């Protein structure tokens, strides 16, 4: 009997629905070809629902979503809703409550895609960022006192415990062992780089650095360990991205460097990410926003969403299907699409989805 995966589909706001439709088109084609089944259920969480009902997420949402094998998300963010409400109330809440403690962000330049980095090609830009996804400054520990006075104090603390740091590091070491440059036949070693700020944030990154070397030495002797300050990492991501294999970092630093990484791989039209709970329900998304000004025009690029779908299949164990989708996307970027930008692809959103599905 073929396997059936239960997938919760959250198109969300703006162009989210358009890109997710192409993603599910490709997922369905992959299911047919590789002999598994997808049982898709739509949820309407997002800005429109909030504006209608005043509710960001119903109380039942988290419990309902826990019944699925994975979540496929479009985009969150609505022009008529104050920034922060939907991001915190949907995206961050799901990450936290589903304990998706890893944000996996490949930074990979596909063939035929333009990068703003001079003299760099696909052979130079091919690494992965493992971002801690549920802790650190994102938990919002702190507050404001004497608000509105000139004595106002605002505190937002970067809090990590050993458990959070260690489980993230272990995921990153495991990932590096299986997917590092050596494992892929692209280099001599599998290397994990810790990105931190041990010269200033001497508490939090001291914990990260000690845990990194202890865990690595004890359990992953074959993975090479490097340490980089986050500011220097930004320079090397531009100047010598080919140095990197797998990087692991805290939530806030990971948020920042993965946007820098995304632009080097061609930007929001292509960058995808996974919010992963290795023991639970994971959620996959294109990392671009809801692009309100392009909504409904059929010109947004669905490739990031399609790649997010491939990451979802990979996490579910459908490795061959995932690889085949990624290869199909690379073929399209290499031979068909002129630009990843909305309206400049030379094809409509659904034509791009059709082309990927046809290759499968
Ligand atoms: C991301 C986004 C989110 C984050 C926002 C929308 C809350 O920027 O996934 O990187 O900061 O994590
Ligand atoms: Mn971000």
């Amino acid at each position: 009997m073929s396997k059936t995966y239960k997938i919760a589909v959250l198109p969300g706001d703006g162009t989210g629905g358009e890109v997710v439709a192409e993603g599910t088109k490709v997922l369905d084609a992959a299911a047919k070809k590789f002999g598994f089944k997808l049982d898709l259920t739509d949820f309407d969480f997002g800005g429109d629902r909030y504006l209608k009902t005043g509710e960001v997420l119903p109380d039942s949402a988290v419990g309902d979503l826990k019944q699925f094998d994975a979540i496929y998300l479009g985009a969150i963010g609505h022009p008529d809703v104050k920034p922060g409400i939907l991001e915190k109330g949907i995206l961050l809440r799901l990450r936290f409550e589903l304990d998706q403690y890893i944000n996996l962000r490949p930074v990979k330049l596909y063939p035929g895609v333009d990068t703003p980095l001079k003299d760099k090609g696909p052979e130079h830009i091919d690494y992965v960022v493992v971002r801690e996804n549920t802790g650190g400054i994102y938990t919002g520990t702190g507050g404001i006192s004497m608000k509105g006075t000139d004595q106002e104090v605002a505190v937002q603390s970067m809090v990590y415990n050993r458990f959070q740091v260690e489980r993230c590091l272990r995921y990153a070491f495991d990932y590096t062992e299986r997917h590092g440059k050596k494992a892929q036949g692209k280099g001599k070693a599998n290397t994990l780089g810790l990105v931190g700020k041990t010269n200033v944030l001497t508490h939090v990154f001291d914990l990260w650095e000690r845990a990194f070397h202890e865990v690595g030495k004890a359990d992953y002797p074959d993975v090479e360990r490097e340490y980089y300050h986050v500011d220097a990492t930004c320079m090397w991501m531009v100047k010598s991205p080919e140095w990197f294999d797998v990087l692991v970092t805290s939530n806030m630093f990971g948020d920042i460097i993965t946007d820098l990484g995304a632009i080097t791989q061609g930007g929001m039209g292509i960058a995808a990410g996974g919010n992963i709970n290795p023991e639970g329900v994971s959620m996959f998304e294109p990392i671009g926003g809801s692009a309100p000004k392009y909504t409904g025009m059929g010109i947004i690029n669905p490739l990031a969403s399609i790649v997010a779908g491939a990451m979802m299949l990979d996490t579910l164990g459908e490795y061959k299907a995932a690889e085949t989708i990624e290869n199909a996307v690379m073929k399209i970027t290499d031979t068909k699409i002129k630009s990843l930008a909305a309206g400049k692809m030379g094809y409509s959103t659904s034509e791009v989805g059709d082309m990927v599905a046809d290759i499968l």
Side-chain angles (χ1 to χ4, degrees):
M1 226 187 75
S2 72
K3 250 187 165 164
T4 301
Y5 300 102
K6 287 179 66 183
I7 309 294
V9 181
L10 279 59
D13 300 313
T15 50
E18 294 166 55
V19 297
V20 153
E22 300 315 309
T24 52
K25 187 190 278 176
V26 171
L27 289 169
D28 280 333
K32 275 204 195 80
K33 174 161 170 125
F34 291 95
F36 57 88
K37 290 206 173 70
L38 294 169
D39 177 3
L40 307 177
T41 308
D42 268 8
F43 289 83
D44 67 350
F45 310 143
D48 287 332
R49 180 181 200 280
Y50 169 67
L51 290 171
K52 240 184 277 157
T53 65
E55 189 179 63
V56 182
L57 263 194
D59 289 335
S60 57
V62 173
D64 288 348
L65 291 173
K66 280 189 181 158
Q67 308 308 312
F68 288 83
D69 294 310
I71 303 168
Y72 190 44
L73 174 70
I76 297 293
H78 194 292
D80 302 333
V81 181
K82 204 174 132 211
I85 294 181
L86 301 171
E87 292 87 337
K88 279 191 165 173
I90 300 179
L91 190 61
L92 296 183
R93 186 162 164 214
L94 292 179
R95 285 179 184 172
F96 288 146
E97 293 198 17
L98 295 169
D99 204 16
Q100 294 162 341
Y101 60 88
I102 297 296
N103 193 310
L104 190 66
R105 282 280 299 107
V107 180
K108 184 166 172 179
L109 180 66
Y110 288 152
V113 175
D114 277 340
T115 173
L117 301 188
K118 189 165 161 278
D119 301 332
K120 299 292 177 192
E123 68 276 29
H124 304 106
I125 304 173
D126 185 7
Y127 57 97
V128 174
V129 179
V130 176
R131 163 186 173 190
E132 199 287 326
N133 207 34
T134 54
I137 218 164
Y138 270 67
T139 54
T141 309
I144 292 188
S145 53
M146 294 174 282
K147 190 166 182 171
T149 73
D150 53 12
Q151 302 283 325
E152 180 167 348
V153 179
V155 180
Q156 197 135 16
S157 304
M158 187 183 284
V159 181
Y160 269 114
N161 63 31
R162 172 82 190 209
F163 167 79
Q164 289 173 306
V165 169
E166 192 166 322
R167 69 177 180 173
C168 174
L169 289 169
R170 285 189 183 281
Y171 179 92
F173 275 113
D174 275 329
Y175 187 91
T176 309
E177 224 169 39
R178 282 182 292 120
H179 303 285
K181 293 235 152 114
K182 184 177 170 192
Q184 290 183 61
K186 291 180 186 163
K188 286 203 188 77
N190 293 325
T191 309
L192 180 62
L194 172 65
V195 176
K197 189 72 188 171
T198 52
N199 52 348
V200 176
L201 303 179
T202 48
H203 307 313
V204 164
F205 285 100
D206 183 65
L207 168 60
W208 274 87
E209 195 180 31
R210 274 183 290 113
F212 178 64
H213 291 299
E214 284 167 21
V215 167
K217 204 167 164 190
D219 295 330
Y220 303 91
D222 297 335
V223 176
E224 305 257 321
R225 299 188 299 277
E226 302 269 4
Y227 169 82
Y228 314 109
H229 291 321
V230 64
D231 45 358
T233 304
C234 292
M235 294 200 297
W236 301 124
M237 283 171 72
V238 172
K239 191 163 189 292
S240 310
E242 62 276 12
W243 286 0
F244 297 130
D245 186 353
V246 182
L247 298 174
V248 60
T249 192
S250 66
N251 204 345
M252 186 78 257
F253 289 171
D255 177 49
I256 298 167
I257 70 169
T258 55
D259 266 25
L260 175 56
I263 205 69
T264 68
Q265 73 183 113
M268 295 307 173
I270 199 73
N275 302 277
I276 295 179
N277 175 343
E279 298 88 35
V281 184
S282 301
M283 175 166 75
F284 299 84
E285 52 172 337
I287 76 165
S290 55
K293 71 174 178 187
Y294 298 123
T295 302
M297 298 168 73
I299 58 170
I300 195 81
N301 189 334
L303 288 179
S305 185
I306 292 170
V307 173
M311 285 180 80
M312 177 168 80
L313 291 184
D314 192 71
T315 308
L316 291 170
E318 297 292 340
Y319 308 118
K320 194 77 203 135
E323 197 190 320
T324 307
I325 294 176
E326 195 185 27
N327 286 337
V329 168
M330 288 197 272
K331 196 155 174 206
I332 300 285
T333 59
D334 199 17
T335 60
K336 299 276 185 191
I337 288 193
K338 295 196 205 95
S339 157
L340 297 179
K344 298 193 179 140
M345 296 187 291
Y347 299 92
S348 71
T349 304
S350 71
E351 283 171 337
V352 175
D354 288 341
M355 286 193 292
V356 179
D358 285 348
I359 295 179
L360 294 182

